[in-house]
Amino acid sequence: MPPELLELLQAGDFGAVVNELRNGRLEPSPAASTNVAQYDPKLHDINDRIKRPDKMVVVDKNSTEYGEVKNVNPNVELTTDQGFRLEPVARIALAIQKLIVKRAVAFTFGHPVTYTSDAETDAEKETLNRLKRVLADVKERTLNRRVARSLYSAQEVAECWYPVEQPKPHNRYGFPTKYKFRVALFSPALGDRLWPYFDDNRDLIAFSREFTKKDGDLQTRTYFETYTADAHYLWTCQGNKSAGQANNNWEMVEGYPKQNPIGKIPIVYASQPQVEWADVQNLIDRLEKLLSNFADTNDYHASPKIFVQGTVKGFARKGEAGAIIEGEDGATASYLSWASAPESVKLEIDTLLRLIYTITQTPDISFDTVKGIGAVSGVALRLLFMDAHLKVQDKCEIFDEYLQRRCSIIAAFLALADVKNAAAAEAVIVQPQITPYIIEDELSKINILQAANGGKQIASQASTVRRLGWADDPDAELAEIQAEEDRANSYTEGEPTYEGEPPL
C-alpha cells in the first residue's frame, strides 16, 4: 500500500483511506445501470410507457363498448367533454445485445485454453501439471465463459483466488496438502463495484471491491474490502452508501487486516472501454421502434378493408359462402390495399440487421442463413468465421495478460502449499493459448495430411477405432474387425478331399 495511505490507515482515518482507494482508476467506472438496462430486453426503451406511450383513442363518452371510458376537456374553455380510451401499442424488444455477447463468448472460449511452458526440469514440468489440476478443479471452462460474459456485458470483471483449509489432507493436485484453492468472481453484473488502484507506472498496487448486503441482524451495511501484496483489509459502514456520498463512518471489521501469504495481490482484473454492443445501440433502438410501429400498422391494416361509395343496403354475415354486398344504384365497393409500402420497411430492417452483425463482428449463423450453404470445406468455414476470429484476436490483448496473471497467482499458491518445489513453481513460465471456435472439417484435414504424406495411410486401424470413442472396448472391437476380415479372406484351393468313401 502507498505510504500516504499507510499514514491515513495508522491514523485511523478510514473514510479518507476508502475515498483515496476509489480514486486510483485509469478509466471512469462503468455505467452499470445503463449496461443492465440495455442488456435486459424487458428494460429496453421500447417497453417504457413514458418514452413510448399508449395511444389515446377518442370514443363516445357515454359508450360502454370498450369498457372504462375516461372523460377529458379537450379545450381550455372546458365547454365540451370528450371520451377516450387507451389503446396499447405494440412493443417488440429484441435480445440482440445478449446474442452479440453469447456469440463473442462462444467464439472466444468455445475451445479449451491450452497451456505450454518453458519447463526444463522435472519439477517445473510437474508444476505445469499441478496448475492444470487446479484449473480443472475449479471448472476452468465454465469460469472462462463467466469471465468473458461479464467483461463483454459489464465492461469489467475480476476474480479472487484464496485457499480453503480442509479437515484432512488430499492428493487432488498431485501432492499431499490440506488446502484447496478456490476462486470467486467479482462483477458489476453481480452488484459489485470494482476499484482498481494503479500507480503512476500503471501497475496495480491495490484492488478494492465495494458491495452491500443485509447481515444477520437485518441491518443493511456497505462493505469495502481491499487486497494488497501484504494484507487483506475489510471496512464496513451502516446503510447503503454510494461512491458519491461522504462516508466518514467506516469501521475496520474485527479480525482484519489479514496477512496475504503469497506476497502478491490475489486478484486478476480485466476491463474494456465499452460493452460489445455500444457501437450499434442506436441501430438496435431504431430496429425495435421500426418493428413495433410496423406491428401497429399491421394491426390496423393487415385485414382487408372495403371502401364503399354510396349506400349499402345489405352486407354478408361473417363466414357466409358466396357473400354479396347489396347497395343502391350507383354504389361502388373496392378493397383498400398497400402498393409497395412494406418493401421500404423490409429494406430498412434487413439493412439494420446487416449493419449490426457487421459492426460488432458477429457472424449470422441462424438456421435461415446457413440452411442453403450446404457442405463447405474447412477453408470455406474459416473464411465464413474470419471476422469473428479477428475479433477474438483483438480480445487476446486482454485475455493473454489476464490468463497469464491467473497462472502466476496459482503458481504462487502451489509454492506456498509445497515448499519443497517452491523454487520450481516460482521459476516456471506458463503461456496460455486461446483457440477461436471453429467447426472442424475432419475429411478435409485428413485429405491434406494424406496428400502431404504422399497419399499413404496416416493412421493405423487401431488408432482410428480408439479415436471413434463409441466402442466400449476398443481392443475387443479391433479384434472382432480382424476376425471378420480373416473370415472374408479365407478360401479353399484345389479339390476337396474326404476320408473314406466320397459322398454320392
Side-chain angles (χ1 to χ4, degrees):
M1 185 172 288
E4 57 272 17
L5 285 177
L6 286 176
E7 293 178 4
L8 294 173
L9 192 62
Q10 292 171 358
D13 192 354
F14 299 142
V17 173
V18 170
N19 290 333
E20 175 59 25
L21 288 171
R22 287 171 171 166
N23 294 326
R25 297 182 62 98
L26 297 177
E27 299 175 352
S29 296
S33 59
T34 301
N35 293 339
V36 170
Q38 294 176 353
Y39 190 65
D40 187 355
K42 296 179 182 178
L43 303 178
H44 286 187
D45 290 347
I46 202 71
N47 291 320
D48 191 330
R49 295 185 181 275
I50 296 179
K51 296 180 179 180
R52 183 178 173 81
D54 291 330
K55 291 182 179 179
M56 189 171 65
V57 181
V58 177
V59 297
D60 183 359
K61 67 178 182 178
N62 298 319
S63 172
T64 59
E65 179 181 358
Y66 300 104
E68 180 183 3
V69 176
K70 298 180 181 180
N71 296 327
V72 296
N73 293 292
N75 53 41
V76 295
E77 291 83 7
L78 307 180
T79 55
T80 59
D81 285 338
Q82 181 66 60
F84 75 93
R85 65 182 174 87
L86 290 177
E87 178 69 23
V89 297
R91 305 179 187 275
I92 300 178
L94 304 175
I96 295 182
Q97 292 89 340
K98 284 189 176 181
L99 177 64
I100 293 172
V101 171
K102 286 179 180 178
R103 296 272 170 84
V105 171
F107 275 96
T108 307
F109 290 115
H111 289 312
V113 178
T114 58
Y115 296 90
T116 59
S117 73
D118 60 349
E120 296 179 355
T121 65
D122 292 339
E124 292 177 353
K125 294 177 182 178
E126 181 61 24
T127 298
L128 178 59
N129 293 331
R130 292 176 178 182
L131 185 143
K132 292 180 179 179
R133 285 172 174 261
V134 173
L135 292 174
D137 191 44
V138 297
K139 313 297 189 297
E140 181 214 4
R141 294 194 65 176
T142 301
L143 176 63
N144 289 340
R145 288 171 176 268
R146 292 174 59 197
V147 166
R149 184 171 290 107
S150 176
L151 179 66
Y152 296 161
S153 64
Q155 294 183 243
E156 62 180 359
V157 65
E159 62 183 59
C160 175
W161 287 84
Y162 58 95
V164 177
E165 188 172 358
Q166 302 298 304
K168 58 182 181 180
H170 64 89
N171 200 40
R172 185 183 296 269
Y173 306 138
F175 64 96
T177 179
K178 61 179 180 179
Y179 291 101
K180 276 190 176 182
F181 305 130
R182 290 290 177 258
V183 59
L185 200 65
F186 302 154
S187 168
L190 302 176
D192 301 318
R193 301 196 69 176
L194 308 184
W195 302 103
Y197 191 91
F198 297 92
D199 62 9
D200 295 338
N201 296 323
R202 295 179 175 267
D203 291 330
L204 183 70
I205 58 176
F207 182 88
S208 304
R209 175 178 74 118
E210 186 177 354
F211 61 97
T212 301
K213 72 173 183 177
K214 184 176 290 186
D215 292 331
D217 57 359
L218 302 182
Q219 296 294 322
T220 299
R221 293 182 174 86
T222 300
Y223 289 87
F224 194 93
E225 64 175 342
T226 300
Y227 296 87
T228 67
D230 303 319
H232 175 201
Y233 302 87
L234 181 62
W235 296 278
T236 183
C237 67
Q238 193 74 21
N240 187 353
K241 302 293 184 181
S242 64
Q245 298 176 341
N247 303 332
N248 297 318
N249 59 338
W250 291 98
E251 299 177 355
M252 184 79 73
V253 175
E254 184 178 357
Y256 288 86
K258 296 181 178 180
Q259 183 181 4
N260 181 4
I262 63 173
K264 62 174 62 179
I265 302 175
I267 296 291
V268 191
Y269 172 77
S271 66
Q272 63 181 28
Q274 61 185 20
V275 290
E276 290 300 299
W277 63 84
D279 293 334
V280 296
Q281 179 60 40
N282 291 335
L283 300 181
I284 296 174
D285 290 339
R286 171 61 181 171
L287 182 60
E288 291 179 335
K289 182 178 180 180
L290 188 67
L291 290 173
S292 299
N293 290 341
F294 193 52
D296 282 332
T297 303
N298 279 339
D299 289 341
Y300 283 99
H301 302 295
S303 299
K305 290 180 174 59
I306 300 176
F307 179 76
V308 178
Q309 289 180 322
T311 302
V312 176
K313 297 172 62 177
F315 199 84
R317 295 181 180 178
K318 180 179 180 181
E320 182 178 350
I324 297 176
I325 300 175
E326 183 180 0
E328 293 183 349
D329 292 341
T332 60
S334 60
Y335 278 106
L336 295 177
S337 61
W338 293 343
S340 59
E343 289 301 321
S344 62
V345 177
K346 182 179 183 300
L347 176 61
E348 185 174 0
I349 291 174
D350 292 342
T351 303
L352 288 172
L353 284 173
R354 186 175 66 254
L355 288 175
I356 289 172
Y357 283 125
T358 301
I359 294 174
T360 60
Q361 294 180 284
T362 303
D364 184 6
I365 52 177
S366 61
F367 177 76
D368 289 337
T369 302
V370 302
K371 67 181 180 180
I373 295 179
V376 294
S377 66
V379 176
L381 284 172
R382 283 172 172 77
L383 292 176
L384 182 65
F385 295 144
M386 183 175 64
D387 208 18
H389 287 192
L390 293 176
K391 182 177 182 178
V392 173
Q393 294 302 320
D394 289 339
K395 295 301 180 183
C396 285
E397 296 179 3
I398 299 174
F399 283 113
D400 283 349
E401 182 178 353
Y402 186 95
L403 297 176
Q404 188 87 41
R405 177 166 178 80
R406 177 194 288 174
C407 294
S408 177
I409 292 174
I410 297 175
F413 276 114
L414 290 173
L416 183 67
D418 187 9
V419 180
K420 294 184 298 183
N421 291 324
E426 294 173 355
V428 68
I429 298 177
V430 180
Q431 298 176 341
Q433 178 65 41
I434 296 175
T435 304
Y437 178 77
I438 187 67
I439 301 174
E440 294 291 344
D441 184 1
E442 296 287 344
L443 181 59
S444 176
K445 183 185 295 185
I446 291 172
N447 291 335
I448 293 173
L449 293 175
Q450 196 167 12
N453 198 32
K456 297 179 181 179
Q457 184 174 334
I458 61 172
S460 66
Q461 189 176 23
S463 298
T464 306
V465 172
R466 291 191 180 94
R467 192 179 179 208
L468 287 176
W470 54 264
D472 295 333
D473 188 349
D475 293 332
E477 189 73 18
L478 185 61
E480 182 65 26
I481 292 174
Q482 188 63 45
E484 291 180 356
E485 290 181 355
D486 291 342
R487 288 194 298 269
N489 294 332
S490 64
Y491 64 94
T492 302
E493 184 177 356
E495 293 292 334
T497 58
Y498 304 95
E499 294 182 0
E501 294 292 332
L504 297 176

